[in-house]
Amino acid sequence: MNLTPFFDYIKQYVELTSEEQSLLLSKIKTRKYLKGQFVIQNGDVCRHENFVLSGCLKTFYIDNEGQEHIVMFAIENWWTADLGSFITQTPADLNIQCLENSELVQIHYDDLQQLYLKIPKLERFFRIIIQKAFVAVQKRVINNFSLPASDRYLQFRDQYPKIEQRVPQYMIASYLGITKEFLSKIRSQLISQKK
Amino acid sequence: MNLTPFFDYIKQYVELTSEEQSLLLSKIKTRKYLKGQFVIQNGDVCRHENFVLSGCLKTFYIDNEGQEHIVMFAIENWWTADLGSFITQTPADLNIQCLENSELVQIHYDDLQQLYLKIPKLERFFRIIIQKAFVAVQKRVINNFSLPASDRYLQFRDQYPKIEQRVPQYMIASYLGITKEFLSKIRSQLISQKK
């Protein structure tokens, strides 16, 4: 598998020496998943941080009524994990499933703890990308209670234009917290406004 | 002001040498705010990370209709900032206002960037606390779309028991994304269930 996108991604934030790069390389694994397979299932402990080399995945939560709620999507150059499970090494609440055949770079929890000690720049790297992820999810909380569904859909399309062409509409509805019928109505209204 | 809680808090995550502690001490400031005063107002750039030594603050967003939505509360031993504004040094979307007279430890953005270089352990410290904050806010997204308001209220009471006694009910309603009349109804039902 071509790991260039992985190292290029890290390079955006920290400059690793060739020794550090070799050490990191020795601690990561790549893994292929088929469409439909799970990277993590609720109840299991999330052992890996995952970087997407190719493919598309959804992270979702099943509520007490058995309904699925999509928490996030991940495509190329995104990280995905049940972070709550990963940092505490306790059973996951979330599921991560492949919507396409996917190739991931995986870093095991134990290896990452060692890597933090040996390559302190990785502390910086993960500090920065988690700050960005925090801001994104906080923005989602704010949008959810301050914007009508149609505006949230437009924001979703702006922020994740590549995802919309790759995942079914009912999953986008789930991500937005609305029914697929309501999403369909919003889309029809937007099309008729364009005419 | 007594800075022991601040250094004790850091000690939970990383062990600083006395030199590092002195350097950090030389870069932080403490500031007192009166009830009603703002630590950050939307449109201004958030220049500081803030650690609460005493007091209680709310972070809120004003939507296009002028309605206030509470994003989070902060009390003793919490951090508060508009992180999106802070990390990009661009104007804030959020407001942070004191609900009580409050004492904060403030670290200026420029000083923090220097501190990261001189005390790499602080990268680790902030990486860990931001991971925890990410998990908390992601859990809020999940709860918002998977739990009824009454359960979210109970969770709020469990998670933040000390805050509920310090902030008015209408702010808790705002945090939960419900009207204060609906929160009042939920509370009455819970009281009658207890009888």
Side-chain angles (χ1 to χ4, degrees), chain A residues 61 63 69-71 83-84 87 93-94 116-117 123-124 126-127 130-135 137-142 145-146, chain B residues 61 63 69-71 83-84 87 93-94 116-117 123-124 126-127 130-135 137-142 145-146:
Chain A
Y61 176 77
D63 69 20
H69 302 279
I70 294 186
V71 178
L83 192 64
I87 63 176
D93 294 324
L94 302 176
Y116 280 139
L117 300 176
E123 297 273 13
R124 181 182 185 84
F126 280 104
R127 195 253 309 156
I130 290 160
Q131 280 180 332
K132 291 174 78 163
F134 173 87
V135 172
V137 70
Q138 193 179 57
K139 198 167 181 65
R140 190 166 166 209
V141 171
I142 294 167
F145 57 36
S146 68
Chain B
Y61 176 77
D63 69 20
H69 302 279
I70 293 185
V71 178
L83 192 63
I87 64 177
D93 294 324
L94 303 177
Y116 280 138
L117 300 176
E123 298 273 12
R124 182 181 185 84
F126 280 103
R127 194 254 308 156
I130 288 161
Q131 279 179 333
K132 292 175 78 164
F134 174 86
V135 172
V137 70
Q138 192 178 58
K139 197 164 182 67
R140 191 166 166 210
V141 170
I142 294 167
F145 58 37
S146 67

Short mmCIF file of all heavy atoms in Angstrom, two decimals, chain A residues 61 63 69-71 83-84 87 93-94 116-117 123-124 126-127 130-135 137-142 145-146, chain B residues 61 63 69-71 83-84 87 93-94 116-117 123-124 126-127 130-135 137-142 145-146:
data_model
loop_
_atom_site.label_atom_id
_atom_site.label_comp_id
_atom_site.label_asym_id
_atom_site.label_seq_id
_atom_site.Cartn_x
_atom_site.Cartn_y
_atom_site.Cartn_z
N TYR A 61 -23.98 5.18 16.14
CA TYR A 61 -24.40 4.80 17.48
C TYR A 61 -25.79 4.18 17.36
O TYR A 61 -26.61 4.66 16.60
CB TYR A 61 -24.46 6.07 18.34
CG TYR A 61 -24.98 5.84 19.72
CD1 TYR A 61 -24.16 5.28 20.70
CD2 TYR A 61 -26.29 6.20 20.08
CE1 TYR A 61 -24.62 5.06 21.99
CE2 TYR A 61 -26.75 5.99 21.37
CZ TYR A 61 -25.91 5.43 22.32
OH TYR A 61 -26.37 5.21 23.59
N ASP A 63 -29.15 3.49 19.38
CA ASP A 63 -29.81 3.88 20.63
C ASP A 63 -30.61 2.72 21.22
O ASP A 63 -30.66 1.63 20.66
CB ASP A 63 -30.66 5.15 20.43
CG ASP A 63 -31.88 4.93 19.56
OD1 ASP A 63 -32.32 3.77 19.41
OD2 ASP A 63 -32.40 5.92 19.03
N HIS A 69 -27.75 6.12 14.55
CA HIS A 69 -27.49 7.55 14.39
C HIS A 69 -26.05 7.73 13.90
O HIS A 69 -25.12 7.26 14.57
CB HIS A 69 -27.65 8.28 15.72
CG HIS A 69 -29.00 8.12 16.33
ND1 HIS A 69 -30.08 8.87 15.94
CD2 HIS A 69 -29.46 7.26 17.28
CE1 HIS A 69 -31.15 8.49 16.65
NE2 HIS A 69 -30.79 7.52 17.46
N ILE A 70 -25.88 8.40 12.77
CA ILE A 70 -24.52 8.54 12.24
C ILE A 70 -23.82 9.72 12.90
O ILE A 70 -24.32 10.84 12.90
CB ILE A 70 -24.54 8.67 10.71
CG1 ILE A 70 -25.04 7.33 10.14
CG2 ILE A 70 -23.14 9.02 10.18
CD1 ILE A 70 -25.00 7.20 8.66
N VAL A 71 -22.67 9.43 13.49
CA VAL A 71 -21.91 10.42 14.24
C VAL A 71 -20.95 11.15 13.30
O VAL A 71 -20.79 12.36 13.37
CB VAL A 71 -21.12 9.73 15.38
CG1 VAL A 71 -20.28 10.73 16.15
CG2 VAL A 71 -22.07 8.98 16.31
N LEU A 83 -12.82 7.46 19.96
CA LEU A 83 -11.74 8.05 20.76
C LEU A 83 -11.96 7.83 22.26
O LEU A 83 -11.00 7.61 23.01
CB LEU A 83 -11.60 9.54 20.46
CG LEU A 83 -10.33 10.21 21.01
CD1 LEU A 83 -9.05 9.64 20.40
CD2 LEU A 83 -10.36 11.72 20.80
N GLY A 84 -13.23 7.87 22.68
CA GLY A 84 -13.52 7.65 24.11
C GLY A 84 -13.05 6.27 24.55
O GLY A 84 -12.44 6.10 25.61
N ILE A 87 -8.92 6.13 24.25
CA ILE A 87 -8.07 6.77 25.27
C ILE A 87 -8.24 6.12 26.64
O ILE A 87 -7.33 6.19 27.47
CB ILE A 87 -8.26 8.31 25.36
CG1 ILE A 87 -9.67 8.70 25.79
CG2 ILE A 87 -7.88 8.98 24.06
CD1 ILE A 87 -9.86 10.22 25.98
N ASP A 93 -18.71 2.57 22.64
CA ASP A 93 -20.15 2.82 22.46
C ASP A 93 -20.48 2.87 20.96
O ASP A 93 -21.63 2.70 20.58
CB ASP A 93 -20.54 4.18 23.04
CG ASP A 93 -20.36 4.22 24.55
OD1 ASP A 93 -20.63 3.19 25.19
OD2 ASP A 93 -19.95 5.28 25.08
N LEU A 94 -19.46 3.14 20.17
CA LEU A 94 -19.69 3.42 18.76
C LEU A 94 -19.30 2.24 17.87
O LEU A 94 -18.57 1.34 18.30
CB LEU A 94 -18.87 4.66 18.34
CG LEU A 94 -19.16 5.93 19.15
CD1 LEU A 94 -18.23 7.06 18.72
CD2 LEU A 94 -20.62 6.35 18.99
N TYR A 116 4.73 8.19 21.51
CA TYR A 116 4.67 9.52 22.15
C TYR A 116 5.96 9.79 22.92
O TYR A 116 6.47 10.91 22.94
CB TYR A 116 3.50 9.60 23.12
CG TYR A 116 2.15 9.87 22.48
CD1 TYR A 116 1.00 9.20 22.92
CD2 TYR A 116 2.00 10.81 21.45
CE1 TYR A 116 -0.25 9.44 22.35
CE2 TYR A 116 0.76 11.05 20.88
CZ TYR A 116 -0.36 10.37 21.34
OH TYR A 116 -1.59 10.61 20.78
N LEU A 117 6.48 8.77 23.58
CA LEU A 117 7.69 8.95 24.38
C LEU A 117 8.93 9.10 23.49
O LEU A 117 9.82 9.89 23.77
CB LEU A 117 7.88 7.77 25.34
CG LEU A 117 6.73 7.57 26.34
CD1 LEU A 117 6.97 6.33 27.19
CD2 LEU A 117 6.56 8.79 27.24
N GLU A 123 3.10 14.07 19.91
CA GLU A 123 2.19 14.70 20.88
C GLU A 123 1.62 15.97 20.25
O GLU A 123 0.43 16.24 20.30
CB GLU A 123 2.94 15.11 22.16
CG GLU A 123 3.54 13.98 22.95
CD GLU A 123 2.56 13.37 23.93
OE1 GLU A 123 1.34 13.64 23.85
OE2 GLU A 123 3.02 12.59 24.79
N ARG A 124 2.53 16.74 19.67
CA ARG A 124 2.13 18.00 19.02
C ARG A 124 1.17 17.72 17.87
O ARG A 124 0.12 18.35 17.76
CB ARG A 124 3.38 18.72 18.49
CG ARG A 124 3.09 20.05 17.82
CD ARG A 124 4.38 20.67 17.27
NE ARG A 124 4.16 21.99 16.75
CZ ARG A 124 4.13 23.12 17.47
NH1 ARG A 124 4.28 23.06 18.77
NH2 ARG A 124 3.92 24.30 16.91
N PHE A 126 -0.82 15.12 17.29
CA PHE A 126 -2.18 14.71 17.70
C PHE A 126 -2.89 15.82 18.48
O PHE A 126 -4.11 15.94 18.40
CB PHE A 126 -2.14 13.39 18.47
CG PHE A 126 -2.05 12.19 17.57
CD1 PHE A 126 -0.85 11.50 17.41
CD2 PHE A 126 -3.14 11.76 16.84
CE1 PHE A 126 -0.75 10.40 16.56
CE2 PHE A 126 -3.06 10.66 15.98
CZ PHE A 126 -1.86 9.98 15.84
N ARG A 127 -2.12 16.64 19.22
CA ARG A 127 -2.74 17.77 19.92
C ARG A 127 -3.41 18.69 18.89
O ARG A 127 -4.56 19.09 19.05
CB ARG A 127 -1.65 18.53 20.70
CG ARG A 127 -2.20 19.51 21.73
CD ARG A 127 -2.05 20.96 21.35
NE ARG A 127 -0.73 21.36 20.94
CZ ARG A 127 -0.52 22.42 20.16
NH1 ARG A 127 -1.52 23.14 19.70
NH2 ARG A 127 0.71 22.75 19.81
N ILE A 130 -6.48 16.96 17.07
CA ILE A 130 -7.64 16.78 17.96
C ILE A 130 -8.28 18.12 18.30
O ILE A 130 -9.50 18.21 18.43
CB ILE A 130 -7.27 15.92 19.18
CG1 ILE A 130 -7.05 14.48 18.70
CG2 ILE A 130 -8.39 15.93 20.23
CD1 ILE A 130 -6.25 13.63 19.63
N GLN A 131 -7.49 19.16 18.41
CA GLN A 131 -8.08 20.50 18.58
C GLN A 131 -9.02 20.81 17.42
O GLN A 131 -10.13 21.29 17.62
CB GLN A 131 -6.98 21.56 18.61
CG GLN A 131 -6.27 21.69 19.93
CD GLN A 131 -5.19 22.76 19.90
OE1 GLN A 131 -4.59 23.05 18.87
NE2 GLN A 131 -4.91 23.33 21.04
N LYS A 132 -8.56 20.53 16.20
CA LYS A 132 -9.39 20.80 15.03
C LYS A 132 -10.67 19.96 15.04
O LYS A 132 -11.74 20.44 14.70
CB LYS A 132 -8.59 20.55 13.74
CG LYS A 132 -7.48 21.58 13.54
CD LYS A 132 -6.62 21.26 12.35
CE LYS A 132 -7.29 21.63 11.05
NZ LYS A 132 -6.34 21.72 9.93
N ALA A 133 -10.52 18.70 15.45
CA ALA A 133 -11.69 17.82 15.52
C ALA A 133 -12.67 18.31 16.58
O ALA A 133 -13.89 18.28 16.38
CB ALA A 133 -11.25 16.39 15.83
N PHE A 134 -12.12 18.79 17.70
CA PHE A 134 -12.98 19.33 18.77
C PHE A 134 -13.80 20.51 18.24
O PHE A 134 -15.01 20.59 18.45
CB PHE A 134 -12.13 19.76 19.97
CG PHE A 134 -12.92 20.48 21.03
CD1 PHE A 134 -13.57 19.77 22.02
CD2 PHE A 134 -13.04 21.87 21.02
CE1 PHE A 134 -14.32 20.43 22.99
CE2 PHE A 134 -13.80 22.52 21.99
CZ PHE A 134 -14.44 21.79 22.98
N VAL A 135 -13.13 21.42 17.54
CA VAL A 135 -13.82 22.61 17.02
C VAL A 135 -14.92 22.19 16.05
O VAL A 135 -16.03 22.71 16.08
CB VAL A 135 -12.81 23.57 16.35
CG1 VAL A 135 -13.52 24.71 15.64
CG2 VAL A 135 -11.85 24.13 17.40
N VAL A 137 -16.62 19.33 15.95
CA VAL A 137 -17.77 18.68 16.60
C VAL A 137 -18.53 19.70 17.45
O VAL A 137 -19.77 19.65 17.53
CB VAL A 137 -17.36 17.39 17.36
CG1 VAL A 137 -16.56 17.67 18.58
CG2 VAL A 137 -18.58 16.55 17.73
N GLN A 138 -17.83 20.67 18.03
CA GLN A 138 -18.53 21.71 18.79
C GLN A 138 -19.39 22.56 17.84
O GLN A 138 -20.50 22.93 18.17
CB GLN A 138 -17.53 22.59 19.53
CG GLN A 138 -18.21 23.46 20.56
CD GLN A 138 -17.23 24.32 21.32
OE1 GLN A 138 -16.46 25.09 20.76
NE2 GLN A 138 -17.23 24.19 22.62
N LYS A 139 -18.86 22.82 16.65
CA LYS A 139 -19.62 23.57 15.65
C LYS A 139 -20.91 22.81 15.27
O LYS A 139 -21.95 23.39 15.04
CB LYS A 139 -18.75 23.79 14.40
CG LYS A 139 -19.28 24.90 13.52
CD LYS A 139 -18.25 25.33 12.48
CE LYS A 139 -18.78 26.46 11.62
NZ LYS A 139 -19.02 27.71 12.33
N ARG A 140 -20.78 21.50 15.26
CA ARG A 140 -21.96 20.69 14.94
C ARG A 140 -23.02 20.82 16.04
O ARG A 140 -24.22 20.93 15.74
CB ARG A 140 -21.54 19.23 14.79
CG ARG A 140 -22.65 18.39 14.24
CD ARG A 140 -22.15 17.06 13.78
NE ARG A 140 -23.29 16.19 13.57
CZ ARG A 140 -23.27 14.89 13.70
NH1 ARG A 140 -22.14 14.28 13.99
NH2 ARG A 140 -24.36 14.19 13.51
N VAL A 141 -22.60 20.83 17.29
CA VAL A 141 -23.55 21.05 18.40
C VAL A 141 -24.25 22.39 18.20
O VAL A 141 -25.48 22.50 18.28
CB VAL A 141 -22.84 21.04 19.77
CG1 VAL A 141 -23.78 21.49 20.89
CG2 VAL A 141 -22.28 19.66 20.10
N ILE A 142 -23.46 23.42 17.91
CA ILE A 142 -24.02 24.77 17.75
C ILE A 142 -24.99 24.81 16.57
O ILE A 142 -26.11 25.31 16.69
CB ILE A 142 -22.87 25.79 17.56
CG1 ILE A 142 -22.04 25.87 18.85
CG2 ILE A 142 -23.41 27.16 17.18
CD1 ILE A 142 -20.71 26.59 18.69
N PHE A 145 -28.46 23.22 17.18
CA PHE A 145 -29.52 23.93 17.88
C PHE A 145 -29.75 25.35 17.39
O PHE A 145 -30.62 26.02 17.89
CB PHE A 145 -29.41 23.84 19.40
CG PHE A 145 -28.14 24.32 20.06
CD1 PHE A 145 -27.41 25.40 19.62
CD2 PHE A 145 -27.70 23.65 21.20
CE1 PHE A 145 -26.27 25.83 20.28
CE2 PHE A 145 -26.55 24.07 21.86
CZ PHE A 145 -25.84 25.15 21.41
N SER A 146 -28.99 25.79 16.40
CA SER A 146 -29.22 27.17 15.96
C SER A 146 -29.59 27.30 14.49
O SER A 146 -30.03 28.36 14.07
CB SER A 146 -27.98 28.02 16.27
OG SER A 146 -26.89 27.62 15.47
N TYR B 61 -23.71 31.03 22.18
CA TYR B 61 -23.74 31.42 20.78
C TYR B 61 -25.05 32.15 20.55
O TYR B 61 -26.10 31.74 21.06
CB TYR B 61 -23.69 30.15 19.92
CG TYR B 61 -23.80 30.39 18.45
CD1 TYR B 61 -22.71 30.87 17.72
CD2 TYR B 61 -24.99 30.15 17.76
CE1 TYR B 61 -22.80 31.11 16.36
CE2 TYR B 61 -25.08 30.38 16.39
CZ TYR B 61 -23.99 30.86 15.69
OH TYR B 61 -24.08 31.09 14.35
N ASP B 63 -27.74 33.12 17.75
CA ASP B 63 -28.07 32.76 16.36
C ASP B 63 -28.60 33.98 15.60
O ASP B 63 -28.70 35.08 16.15
CB ASP B 63 -29.03 31.56 16.33
CG ASP B 63 -30.42 31.89 16.85
OD1 ASP B 63 -30.79 33.08 16.89
OD2 ASP B 63 -31.14 30.96 17.22
N HIS B 69 -27.84 30.41 22.75
CA HIS B 69 -27.74 28.96 22.95
C HIS B 69 -26.50 28.68 23.78
O HIS B 69 -25.38 29.04 23.38
CB HIS B 69 -27.61 28.24 21.61
CG HIS B 69 -28.74 28.50 20.67
ND1 HIS B 69 -29.94 27.83 20.75
CD2 HIS B 69 -28.87 29.38 19.66
CE1 HIS B 69 -30.76 28.28 19.81
NE2 HIS B 69 -30.12 29.22 19.13
N ILE B 70 -26.68 28.00 24.91
CA ILE B 70 -25.52 27.75 25.77
C ILE B 70 -24.77 26.50 25.30
O ILE B 70 -25.34 25.42 25.16
CB ILE B 70 -25.95 27.64 27.24
CG1 ILE B 70 -26.45 29.03 27.67
CG2 ILE B 70 -24.77 27.19 28.12
CD1 ILE B 70 -26.81 29.17 29.11
N VAL B 71 -23.49 26.70 25.03
CA VAL B 71 -22.64 25.65 24.48
C VAL B 71 -22.02 24.84 25.62
O VAL B 71 -21.95 23.62 25.58
CB VAL B 71 -21.53 26.26 23.59
CG1 VAL B 71 -20.61 25.19 23.05
CG2 VAL B 71 -22.15 27.06 22.45
N LEU B 83 -12.16 27.80 21.31
CA LEU B 83 -10.97 27.13 20.81
C LEU B 83 -10.77 27.35 19.31
O LEU B 83 -9.64 27.48 18.84
CB LEU B 83 -11.02 25.62 21.13
CG LEU B 83 -9.71 24.87 20.92
CD1 LEU B 83 -8.60 25.36 21.85
CD2 LEU B 83 -9.91 23.36 21.12
N GLY B 84 -11.89 27.40 18.57
CA GLY B 84 -11.80 27.63 17.12
C GLY B 84 -11.12 28.97 16.84
O GLY B 84 -10.25 29.07 15.96
N ILE B 87 -7.21 28.77 18.20
CA ILE B 87 -6.18 28.06 17.42
C ILE B 87 -5.93 28.71 16.06
O ILE B 87 -4.86 28.55 15.49
CB ILE B 87 -6.46 26.54 17.26
CG1 ILE B 87 -7.73 26.27 16.48
CG2 ILE B 87 -6.49 25.85 18.61
CD1 ILE B 87 -8.01 24.77 16.24
N ASP B 93 -16.76 33.14 17.28
CA ASP B 93 -18.21 33.01 17.09
C ASP B 93 -18.91 33.01 18.44
O ASP B 93 -20.10 33.25 18.53
CB ASP B 93 -18.53 31.66 16.41
CG ASP B 93 -17.98 31.60 15.00
OD1 ASP B 93 -18.00 32.64 14.32
OD2 ASP B 93 -17.53 30.51 14.59
N LEU B 94 -18.17 32.64 19.47
CA LEU B 94 -18.78 32.40 20.78
C LEU B 94 -18.53 33.55 21.74
O LEU B 94 -17.64 34.38 21.52
CB LEU B 94 -18.20 31.11 21.37
CG LEU B 94 -18.36 29.85 20.51
CD1 LEU B 94 -17.68 28.66 21.18
CD2 LEU B 94 -19.84 29.53 20.28
N TYR B 116 5.07 25.63 24.34
CA TYR B 116 5.07 24.31 23.69
C TYR B 116 6.49 23.92 23.26
O TYR B 116 6.89 22.77 23.37
CB TYR B 116 4.18 24.31 22.44
CG TYR B 116 2.70 24.17 22.72
CD1 TYR B 116 1.76 24.94 22.02
CD2 TYR B 116 2.21 23.25 23.64
CE1 TYR B 116 0.40 24.81 22.23
CE2 TYR B 116 0.84 23.12 23.87
CZ TYR B 116 -0.06 23.90 23.17
OH TYR B 116 -1.39 23.76 23.37
N LEU B 117 7.25 24.91 22.77
CA LEU B 117 8.62 24.63 22.30
C LEU B 117 9.57 24.39 23.47
O LEU B 117 10.44 23.52 23.39
CB LEU B 117 9.13 25.77 21.42
CG LEU B 117 8.30 26.06 20.16
CD1 LEU B 117 8.83 27.26 19.42
CD2 LEU B 117 8.27 24.82 19.25
N GLU B 123 2.64 19.93 25.39
CA GLU B 123 1.96 19.36 24.21
C GLU B 123 1.15 18.14 24.66
O GLU B 123 0.00 17.96 24.29
CB GLU B 123 2.97 18.89 23.15
CG GLU B 123 3.86 19.94 22.57
CD GLU B 123 3.21 20.64 21.37
OE1 GLU B 123 2.00 20.47 21.14
OE2 GLU B 123 3.94 21.37 20.69
N ARG B 124 1.81 17.30 25.46
CA ARG B 124 1.16 16.10 25.96
C ARG B 124 -0.05 16.47 26.83
O ARG B 124 -1.14 15.92 26.67
CB ARG B 124 2.15 15.30 26.80
CG ARG B 124 1.59 13.99 27.35
CD ARG B 124 2.66 13.28 28.18
NE ARG B 124 2.21 11.99 28.63
CZ ARG B 124 2.28 10.87 27.91
NH1 ARG B 124 2.77 10.90 26.69
NH2 ARG B 124 1.85 9.73 28.39
N PHE B 126 -1.93 19.23 26.91
CA PHE B 126 -3.08 19.74 26.16
C PHE B 126 -3.65 18.68 25.21
O PHE B 126 -4.85 18.65 24.98
CB PHE B 126 -2.75 21.05 25.44
CG PHE B 126 -2.78 22.25 26.35
CD1 PHE B 126 -1.62 22.83 26.82
CD2 PHE B 126 -3.99 22.78 26.78
CE1 PHE B 126 -1.65 23.93 27.69
CE2 PHE B 126 -4.04 23.86 27.65
CZ PHE B 126 -2.87 24.44 28.10
N ARG B 127 -2.79 17.81 24.69
CA ARG B 127 -3.29 16.72 23.85
C ARG B 127 -4.27 15.87 24.65
O ARG B 127 -5.37 15.55 24.19
CB ARG B 127 -2.11 15.86 23.36
CG ARG B 127 -2.43 14.92 22.23
CD ARG B 127 -2.53 13.47 22.61
NE ARG B 127 -1.39 12.93 23.35
CZ ARG B 127 -1.48 11.89 24.14
NH1 ARG B 127 -2.63 11.27 24.32
NH2 ARG B 127 -0.42 11.45 24.80
N ILE B 130 -7.57 17.86 25.64
CA ILE B 130 -8.44 18.14 24.49
C ILE B 130 -9.08 16.85 23.97
O ILE B 130 -10.21 16.85 23.52
CB ILE B 130 -7.68 18.93 23.40
CG1 ILE B 130 -7.49 20.36 23.94
CG2 ILE B 130 -8.46 18.98 22.10
CD1 ILE B 130 -6.43 21.14 23.25
N GLN B 131 -8.37 15.74 24.09
CA GLN B 131 -9.01 14.45 23.75
C GLN B 131 -10.24 14.23 24.62
O GLN B 131 -11.30 13.82 24.14
CB GLN B 131 -8.03 13.30 24.00
CG GLN B 131 -7.03 13.09 22.89
CD GLN B 131 -6.06 11.95 23.18
OE1 GLN B 131 -5.78 11.64 24.33
NE2 GLN B 131 -5.55 11.33 22.15
N LYS B 132 -10.10 14.49 25.91
CA LYS B 132 -11.22 14.30 26.82
C LYS B 132 -12.37 15.24 26.49
O LYS B 132 -13.54 14.86 26.52
CB LYS B 132 -10.77 14.50 28.28
CG LYS B 132 -9.83 13.40 28.75
CD LYS B 132 -9.28 13.64 30.12
CE LYS B 132 -10.29 13.31 31.20
NZ LYS B 132 -9.65 13.17 32.54
N ALA B 133 -12.02 16.48 26.15
CA ALA B 133 -13.05 17.44 25.80
C ALA B 133 -13.76 17.02 24.51
O ALA B 133 -14.99 17.14 24.39
CB ALA B 133 -12.42 18.83 25.61
N PHE B 134 -12.99 16.48 23.56
CA PHE B 134 -13.58 16.00 22.31
C PHE B 134 -14.60 14.90 22.59
O PHE B 134 -15.71 14.90 22.06
CB PHE B 134 -12.49 15.48 21.36
CG PHE B 134 -13.04 14.83 20.12
CD1 PHE B 134 -13.35 15.58 19.00
CD2 PHE B 134 -13.28 13.46 20.08
CE1 PHE B 134 -13.88 14.99 17.86
CE2 PHE B 134 -13.81 12.86 18.94
CZ PHE B 134 -14.11 13.62 17.83
N VAL B 135 -14.21 13.95 23.43
CA VAL B 135 -15.11 12.83 23.74
C VAL B 135 -16.38 13.36 24.41
O VAL B 135 -17.49 12.92 24.08
CB VAL B 135 -14.39 11.79 24.64
CG1 VAL B 135 -15.36 10.74 25.14
CG2 VAL B 135 -13.24 11.14 23.86
N VAL B 137 -17.82 16.33 24.10
CA VAL B 137 -18.71 17.07 23.19
C VAL B 137 -19.31 16.12 22.15
O VAL B 137 -20.47 16.26 21.75
CB VAL B 137 -18.01 18.31 22.58
CG1 VAL B 137 -16.95 17.97 21.59
CG2 VAL B 137 -19.03 19.25 21.94
N GLN B 138 -18.55 15.09 21.77
CA GLN B 138 -19.12 14.10 20.85
C GLN B 138 -20.26 13.33 21.54
O GLN B 138 -21.28 13.03 20.92
CB GLN B 138 -18.04 13.13 20.38
CG GLN B 138 -18.50 12.28 19.21
CD GLN B 138 -17.42 11.36 18.70
OE1 GLN B 138 -16.89 10.54 19.44
NE2 GLN B 138 -17.08 11.49 17.45
N LYS B 139 -20.11 13.04 22.82
CA LYS B 139 -21.15 12.36 23.58
C LYS B 139 -22.42 13.23 23.63
O LYS B 139 -23.53 12.73 23.57
CB LYS B 139 -20.66 12.10 25.00
CG LYS B 139 -21.49 11.06 25.74
CD LYS B 139 -20.79 10.53 26.98
CE LYS B 139 -21.63 9.47 27.64
NZ LYS B 139 -21.76 8.25 26.84
N ARG B 140 -22.19 14.54 23.69
CA ARG B 140 -23.35 15.44 23.69
C ARG B 140 -24.11 15.37 22.36
O ARG B 140 -25.33 15.37 22.33
CB ARG B 140 -22.86 16.86 23.95
CG ARG B 140 -24.00 17.77 24.22
CD ARG B 140 -23.54 19.07 24.81
NE ARG B 140 -24.63 20.02 24.74
CZ ARG B 140 -24.48 21.32 24.63
NH1 ARG B 140 -23.28 21.83 24.62
NH2 ARG B 140 -25.53 22.10 24.56
N VAL B 141 -23.36 15.32 21.25
CA VAL B 141 -24.01 15.16 19.93
C VAL B 141 -24.84 13.88 19.93
O VAL B 141 -26.00 13.87 19.53
CB VAL B 141 -22.96 15.10 18.79
CG1 VAL B 141 -23.61 14.70 17.47
CG2 VAL B 141 -22.24 16.43 18.63
N ILE B 142 -24.24 12.80 20.41
CA ILE B 142 -24.92 11.50 20.41
C ILE B 142 -26.16 11.55 21.29
O ILE B 142 -27.24 11.12 20.89
CB ILE B 142 -23.94 10.39 20.88
CG1 ILE B 142 -22.81 10.23 19.85
CG2 ILE B 142 -24.68 9.07 21.10
CD1 ILE B 142 -21.63 9.41 20.35
N PHE B 145 -29.20 13.40 19.83
CA PHE B 145 -30.09 12.76 18.86
C PHE B 145 -30.57 11.38 19.26
O PHE B 145 -31.36 10.79 18.56
CB PHE B 145 -29.58 12.82 17.42
CG PHE B 145 -28.23 12.24 17.10
CD1 PHE B 145 -27.75 11.09 17.68
CD2 PHE B 145 -27.45 12.86 16.13
CE1 PHE B 145 -26.53 10.57 17.34
CE2 PHE B 145 -26.22 12.34 15.79
CZ PHE B 145 -25.75 11.20 16.39
N SER B 146 -30.13 10.89 20.40
CA SER B 146 -30.58 9.53 20.75
C SER B 146 -31.32 9.45 22.08
O SER B 146 -31.95 8.43 22.37
CB SER B 146 -29.37 8.58 20.79
OG SER B 146 -28.50 8.93 21.85
#
